[in-house]
Amino acid sequence: MNCLEYRQICGAEPNHRDAAFAEHEAQCSGCRAYANELRELDGRIRQALMIELPGQTEAAQEQTMAPARRSWQPARLGLAASFLAAVGLGVGVWLSAPPPALAEAVTGHLSHERHAWQTTDNPVARDVLDAVLKDGDIEVRQNFGLISYARTCNIRGHDVPHLMIQGERGPVMLLIMREEKIDQAIPLRADGYEGLILPVGDGSIAVVGREGEALEPLTEQITQSVDWSF
Amino acid sequence: MNETESELARRRRFEALTRAHRDDLYRYAFWLARDHAVADDAVQECLLRAWKAFASLEDESRAKPWLMTILRREHARLYERKRPDMVAMQDLSQRENAMLGSQHNTDIDDLRAAIFRLDDSYREPLVLQVLMGYSTTQIAEQMNLQQNAVLTRLFRARKQLKLALERRGLRGNDGGAA
């Protein structure tokens, strides 16, 4: 193995192990220094790649939705709440039988996707919204208002369109749950948030905003705007 | 009852497996997306898909590459949906700025910024090798590449990082440039 061959291998795998590689390194001080430099660089690359997990840095920024209500809920949630909840807790809850009550599933979902809770004038991209609504077999009429976020989420084992619209006091979460039939409206309250789950056809729609949000006109508008056929 | 217990045991096994790999999953997702929110979504989608497909995991010792593969696919799917937002270069500096400073170490922050700006095709194999401990063979499998292509990308990734550090005057003390 010559120096060029050695450095080509070393540049891709500084810790490469084979006899010819080791032999050349033992004999060539220049290449040995090159390898040591790259190994030192790799150590620093590894340090740089070890980003702090959001839960480690930002959990303290957010309050949990209802810490006293669910023993499984983390005490603090941050931007990474959905990750932590999904990986460590949410999946655990989702996986543990029996499935949570609908109200609890909805309030539990408040701690997911914290980045969606932004006050904004920017609508979600039309193709994203269309894809989410298509997933849910749902049509939304034009008078629905500004939809700033859309994605398909899993609520109690069902794919559910999760939309964020802009209310008077900030974002309002909608979960359009065509598989969740309820007989009457269910009020929701979690730390700093309030809302309700409305029966709509053979399904339901959860509407949750920050405390004080004028939900009544919104709910009326929403139930009139959503079109679905069961 | 037995069925319920068995299901519960399966769920607990899945939870334990995913918990063991959650940090790696998140970091891999972050370096794929360079965006915490997208990484967050990708991991969540990955776990949901993984749970649905858990029965297909025959060898639990292979859980990590299995999860990584699912995560990579989910990230690609999210990327397709959110492409306009994710590739906006004007956002890059903002994202980079948001990320920098957390280490309180200028050298590492500068190196992180350089990694941040690496082309995706160079950054991903580097993350898999240096952070995840993948061999070049495993990286080739994960990325559907020939091994030679992986070696070339890794070589170029390091070369670019070295150059970036040299330009910033942050080259290591032991010298010996190639």
Side-chain angles (χ1 to χ4, degrees):
Chain A
M1 182 178 286
N2 61 32
C3 290
L4 181 62
E5 290 166 339
Y6 175 90
R7 290 184 185 216
Q8 280 177 336
I9 295 170
C10 190
E13 287 186 278
N15 294 309
H16 184 77
R17 292 278 178 267
D18 78 16
F21 186 85
E23 189 182 337
H24 182 87
E25 186 174 319
Q27 291 170 354
C28 177
S29 59
C31 287
R32 193 161 56 246
Y34 175 77
N36 287 336
E37 184 190 15
L38 284 183
R39 287 167 192 151
E40 186 272 340
L41 176 64
D42 266 19
R44 288 196 285 159
I45 291 172
R46 187 164 198 286
Q47 261 186 289
L49 292 173
M50 289 285 284
I51 55 157
E52 290 178 342
L53 300 174
Q56 294 169 349
T57 55
E58 299 174 27
Q61 292 174 8
E62 299 284 343
Q63 289 290 316
T64 180
M65 296 305 134
R69 293 177 56 203
R70 295 181 293 276
S71 59
W72 46 265
Q73 188 110 24
R76 296 175 296 174
L77 295 174
L79 184 63
S82 55
F83 166 66
L84 288 174
V87 175
L89 300 159
V91 163
V93 170
W94 171 59
L95 295 176
S96 60
L102 182 58
E104 193 161 329
V106 170
T107 53
H109 199 72
L110 288 167
S111 61
H112 294 213
E113 299 150 274
R114 300 296 300 161
H115 54 281
W117 287 84
Q118 286 179 351
T119 301
T120 175
D121 293 328
N122 297 324
V124 66
R126 186 71 222 183
D127 59 334
V128 173
L129 177 61
D130 288 345
V132 169
L133 296 176
K134 191 178 171 192
D135 280 350
D137 281 335
I138 286 160
E139 287 181 20
V140 172
R141 298 194 193 97
Q142 285 184 339
N143 62 345
F144 201 64
L146 176 69
I147 300 173
S148 56
Y149 179 83
R151 67 165 294 178
T152 300
C153 292
N154 190 293
I155 303 291
R156 301 213 307 172
H158 302 297
D159 286 344
V160 166
H162 169 174
L163 309 180
M164 298 297 296
I165 60 173
Q166 298 295 312
E168 286 180 9
R169 296 176 67 95
V172 174
M173 178 182 85
L174 308 182
L175 297 175
I176 304 174
M177 305 177 289
R178 57 181 299 156
E179 316 262 5
E180 298 284 4
K181 184 176 183 179
I182 56 174
D183 296 329
Q184 57 186 21
I186 301 171
L188 301 170
R189 184 170 287 276
D191 284 355
Y193 295 83
E194 60 188 6
L196 69 168
I197 307 174
L198 299 161
V200 180
D202 285 339
S204 55
I205 299 178
V207 185
V208 186
R210 297 194 198 285
E211 261 177 9
E213 180 64 68
L215 292 177
E216 212 169 296
L218 277 178
T219 55
E220 194 175 333
Q221 189 183 7
I222 289 159
T223 50
Q224 286 175 2
S225 299
V226 173
D227 235 357
W228 56 21
S229 54
F230 289 98
Chain B
M1 185 65 182
N2 283 340
E3 194 179 334
T4 305
E5 283 174 353
S6 159
E7 181 67 1
L8 193 59
R10 200 170 76 91
R11 288 169 175 181
R12 285 186 175 148
R13 216 169 63 243
F14 177 80
E15 194 183 340
L17 272 181
T18 53
R19 190 185 297 118
H21 299 300
R22 66 179 184 180
D23 293 359
D24 281 344
L25 282 174
Y26 187 85
R27 289 193 172 107
Y28 180 41
F30 175 81
W31 285 110
L32 283 176
R34 293 176 297 175
D35 183 298
H36 283 297
V38 177
D40 195 21
D41 286 353
V43 170
Q44 196 178 146
E45 292 293 333
C46 162
L47 291 172
L48 291 171
R49 300 270 171 184
W51 169 244
K52 287 178 184 173
F54 190 38
S56 69
L57 178 63
E58 292 173 358
D59 178 0
E60 291 186 9
S61 69
R62 300 271 307 152
K64 182 174 174 179
W66 180 70
L67 287 166
M68 293 289 182
T69 302
I70 296 172
L71 177 62
R72 189 169 196 266
R73 200 164 50 231
E74 288 309 311
H75 169 261
R77 212 170 59 84
L78 285 171
Y79 183 86
E80 283 303 313
R81 279 191 177 182
K82 299 184 177 180
R83 192 182 185 103
D85 293 338
M86 293 175 63
V87 296
M89 289 306 290
Q90 62 267 33
D91 292 345
L92 199 59
S93 297
Q94 279 184 323
R95 288 195 216 151
E96 183 182 316
N97 288 339
M99 194 180 66
L100 295 179
S102 60
Q103 187 78 22
H104 307 299
N105 179 328
T106 308
D107 284 6
I108 296 301
D109 286 346
D110 285 342
L111 182 54
R112 191 174 282 172
I115 297 169
F116 199 90
R117 289 176 174 276
L118 275 180
D119 188 85
D120 293 349
S121 62
Y122 295 164
R123 191 175 57 253
E124 185 179 0
L126 191 69
V127 170
L128 288 170
Q129 186 187 55
V130 177
L131 193 59
M132 304 298 166
Y134 274 43
S135 68
T136 51
T137 309
Q138 289 171 316
I139 296 169
E141 278 174 20
Q142 171 83 356
M143 296 182 68
N144 294 317
L145 292 171
Q146 296 291 322
Q147 195 169 0
N148 278 346
V150 172
L151 293 171
T152 302
R153 290 181 187 197
L154 287 167
F155 181 89
R156 289 178 181 167
R158 286 192 176 85
K159 190 174 175 185
Q160 287 186 16
L161 292 179
K162 266 166 57 92
L163 279 173
L165 293 183
E166 284 166 6
R167 284 195 194 110
R168 290 174 190 234
L170 293 167
R171 197 168 57 167
N173 293 332
D174 52 348

